[in-house]
Amino acid sequence: MLIHRDPPAAYTAAPEWVTGTVHVTPIAAAGDTSRLRIDDVRFEPGSRTHWHRHPEGQVLHITGGTGLMQRRGGPVEVVRAGDRVVIAPGEWHWHGAGPTTSMTHLAVLTAAEDGAEAERGEPVVL
């Protein structure tokens, strides 16, 4: 067992994956012994991911603020602290903050056997 008391190194998401400013703090990274990945993700107001999908699906647990998400072909939905969103494997979707509110979530996914975690699509146009 390892206990880490120093905060993990956060980074700003790459602009080819998001619109606006998104801060990511890795909690657990897929590696040699596990395909599990967990990130603490904070979206500044108006920021969001591009359309994307995960080969093994994803679970989002909203921990703060109010945000928006959408599955391809579905309506834009509001998500709030305490909500849990289960996204099916291969399902195109996006998620992010509201226009005037920030939103924070834990993003949990399992990498595919080949190591793939996500496939990026086009930017979201609201």
Side-chain angles (χ1 to χ4, degrees):
M1 172 172 54
L2 294 172
I3 298 173
H4 296 275
R5 291 201 165 86
D6 55 324
Y11 63 91
T12 301
E16 58 267 14
W17 283 92
V18 300
T19 297
T21 304
V22 179
H23 307 281
V24 181
T25 303
I27 304 297
D32 294 337
T33 60
S34 173
R35 296 185 347 221
L36 177 68
R37 179 178 180 140
I38 304 171
D39 290 320
D40 184 20
V41 184
R42 182 179 184 281
F43 295 83
E44 292 189 6
S47 62
R48 58 190 171 274
T49 67
H50 291 188
W51 285 101
H52 63 284
R53 63 182 174 176
H54 305 279
E56 302 292 328
Q58 182 180 46
V59 174
L60 304 175
H61 178 73
I62 314 305
T63 57
T66 302
L68 303 171
M69 65 116 3
Q70 183 180 24
R71 292 172 169 88
R72 178 90 68 196
V76 175
E77 299 181 61
V78 175
V79 291
R80 295 178 180 84
D83 290 348
R84 186 178 69 235
V85 181
V86 178
I87 300 155
E91 183 173 45
W92 286 100
H93 67 285
W94 65 268
H95 39 94
T100 61
T101 60
S102 62
M103 188 269 287
T104 304
H105 66 52
L106 291 176
V108 181
L109 63 85
T110 301
E113 288 186 26
D114 67 1
E117 294 180 356
E119 178 184 352
R120 183 182 72 237
E122 68 278 5
V124 174
V125 178
L126 293 179

